[in-house]
């Protein structure tokens, strides 16, 4: 309940309500883009300052290793489950969406942990960066395999009509790691590590004092977008809509089990759970529109932004943090 009384979360709820009643309230795309870049830059700086203070420890290496493991396991398992009830391309797209991460969900959780005086490591921002691309690469490989199988079965006289062209995983990986937002996050983290305590003091008005207000403004925009994307899910099977809630819970449980086995701290474990439970609605859809045009954008984008994102913001974050503190504390 305390999460709902947070001003940033209330602005998200307000945005959902405004979008539901079809208000003409909107955040200009350029402003929205600036807000997302600001949040990533501030997050990177905070992570870098924290790493400069703590240094590279064994827990840092273990946590980053768990993050990569989750980034591979989740899309692999999801694809195997989904392709039994969906077309292969839709299964690959949804697996990529839920195997990748939501930066805004992560940033909101960081703010939640800070407001509740729960310690966590600055390296978790690096964990978020590492978890973004593996699911995309795997989905492209799944789609290429499907196209090759289809080509072998329908080839006639050397002529083929394929909906999509196989793409090299290396190209997608390069685009993922050189994306401006991703690069800004990693660059800001490096700058924070180099400048340390002196940089933290100088940048505090930018990276700390403004953070809460900027997050509230951005969540207002996300609420508007979430409401406007719910329409794309009309007529979809109920089991698929349930998946948008149950899959994050299952992925968070997997992350919790790994964090418990590795004796990860409660704060870092909570962030691992949030990363595993989140679903991408920016980076992955942007890539999939070109990499897997056979999949339905309204399906994977509507599920992630229309259902999973609001669920995680309003219910998931306090749930994951509370469970992590109880199990890992």
């Amino acid at each position: 309940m305390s999460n709902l009384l947070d001003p940033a979360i209330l602005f998200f709820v307000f945005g959902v309500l405004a979008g539901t009643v079809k208000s003409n309230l909107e955040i200009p795309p350029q402003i929205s883009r600036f807000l997302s870049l600001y949040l990533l830059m501030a997050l990177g700086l905070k992570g870098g300052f924290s790493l400069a203070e703590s240094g590279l420890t064994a827990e840092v290496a273990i946590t980053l290793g768990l993050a990569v493991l989750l980034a591979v396991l989740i899309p692999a398992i999801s694809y195997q489950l989904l392709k039994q009830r969906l077309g292969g391309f839709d299964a690959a797209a949804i697996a990529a969406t839920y195997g990748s991460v939501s930066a805004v969900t992560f940033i909101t959780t960081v703010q939640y942990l800070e407001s509740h005086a729960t310690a966590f490591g600055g390296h978790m921002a690096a964990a978020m960066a590492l978890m973004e691309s593996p699911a995309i690469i795997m989905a492209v490989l799944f789609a290429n395999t499907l196209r090759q199988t289809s080509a072998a079965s329908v080839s006639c006289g050397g002529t083929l009509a394929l909906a999509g062209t196989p793409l090299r995983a290396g190209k997608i990986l390069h685009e993922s790691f050189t994306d401006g937002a991703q690069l800004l996050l990693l660059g800001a983290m490096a700058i924070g590590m180099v400048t340390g305590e002196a940089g933290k003091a100088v940048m505090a008005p930018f990276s700390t004092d403004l953070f809460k207000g900027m997050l509230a403004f951005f969540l207002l925009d996300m609420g508007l977008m979430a409401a406007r994307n719910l329409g794309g899910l009309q007529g979809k099977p109920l089991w698929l809509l349930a998946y948008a809630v149950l899959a994050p819970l299952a992925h968070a449980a997997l992350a919790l089990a790994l964090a418990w086995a590795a004796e990860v701290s409660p704060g870092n474990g909570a962030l691992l759970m949030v990363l595993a439970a989140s679903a991408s609605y920016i980076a992955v859809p942007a890539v999939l529109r070109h990499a897997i045009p056979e999949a339905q954008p309204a399906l994977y984008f509507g599920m992630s932004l229309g259902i999973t994102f609001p669920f995680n913001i309003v219910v998931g974050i306090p749930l994951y943090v509370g469970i992590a503190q109880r199990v890992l504390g």
Side-chain angles (χ1 to χ4, degrees), residues 218-250:
F218 191 63
L219 285 177
L220 169 64
D221 187 36
M222 290 296 97
L224 292 168
M225 289 181 61
R228 290 165 185 166
N229 278 276
L230 280 172
L233 296 175
Q234 291 182 352
K236 302 302 180 185
L238 287 177
W239 73 265
L240 203 55
L241 304 184
Y243 181 91
V245 172
L246 297 178
L249 294 173

Side-chain angles (χ1 to χ4, degrees), residues 12 16 226-227 230 303-316:
F12 173 79
V16 172
L230 280 172
M303 288 171 63
S304 63
L305 185 55
I307 299 178
T308 303
F309 180 70
F311 171 77
N312 277 332
I313 291 294
V314 177
V315 178

Side-chain angles (χ1 to χ4, degrees), residues 97-325:
T97 301
Y98 283 82
S100 190
V101 296
S102 162
V104 178
T105 307
F106 178 83
I107 290 169
T108 306
T109 309
V110 166
Q111 185 275 323
Y112 181 87
L113 291 174
E114 289 178 344
S115 66
H116 287 74
T118 302
F120 61 91
H123 63 282
M124 294 307 298
M128 181 186 73
L130 288 173
M131 290 181 72
E132 186 170 48
S133 297
I136 301 175
I137 299 298
M138 294 174 69
V140 171
L141 294 176
F142 293 149
N144 286 347
T145 301
L146 289 169
R147 295 188 188 107
Q148 291 166 4
T149 302
S150 176
S153 62
V154 303
S155 179
C156 181
T159 302
L160 291 174
L162 297 178
T165 303
L167 297 175
R168 290 183 293 109
K171 180 181 178 182
I172 300 297
L173 184 62
H174 175 266
E175 291 179 355
S176 298
F177 279 105
T178 57
D179 174 72
Q182 186 88 325
L183 210 55
L184 177 61
L185 173 68
L186 296 174
M189 184 179 296
I191 291 170
M193 288 182 65
V194 170
T195 56
E197 195 63 33
K200 182 178 181 180
V202 171
M203 296 298 290
F206 173 83
S207 61
T208 302
D209 297 346
L210 291 177
F211 190 83
K212 182 79 171 185
M214 292 290 199
L215 178 60
F217 207 167
F218 191 63
L219 285 177
L220 169 64
D221 187 36
M222 290 296 97
L224 292 168
M225 289 181 61
R228 290 165 185 166
N229 278 276
L230 280 172
L233 296 175
Q234 291 182 352
K236 302 302 180 185
L238 287 177
W239 73 265
L240 203 55
L241 304 184
Y243 181 91
V245 172
L246 297 178
L249 294 173
H251 300 162
L254 175 60
L256 177 65
L258 292 175
W260 176 81
E263 299 183 348
V264 174
S265 68
N268 292 338
L271 287 172
L272 267 183
M273 292 174 70
V274 167
L275 287 170
S278 66
S280 174
Y281 54 84
I282 297 177
V284 171
V287 173
L288 294 186
R289 285 179 185 273
H290 303 288
I292 312 181
E294 301 93 335
Q296 305 175 63
L299 195 59
Y300 57 81
F301 187 68
M303 288 171 63
S304 63
L305 185 55
I307 299 178
T308 303
F309 180 70
F311 171 77
N312 277 332
I313 291 294
V314 177
V315 178
I317 290 174
L319 176 65
Y320 306 141
V321 172
I323 293 175
Q325 289 174 334

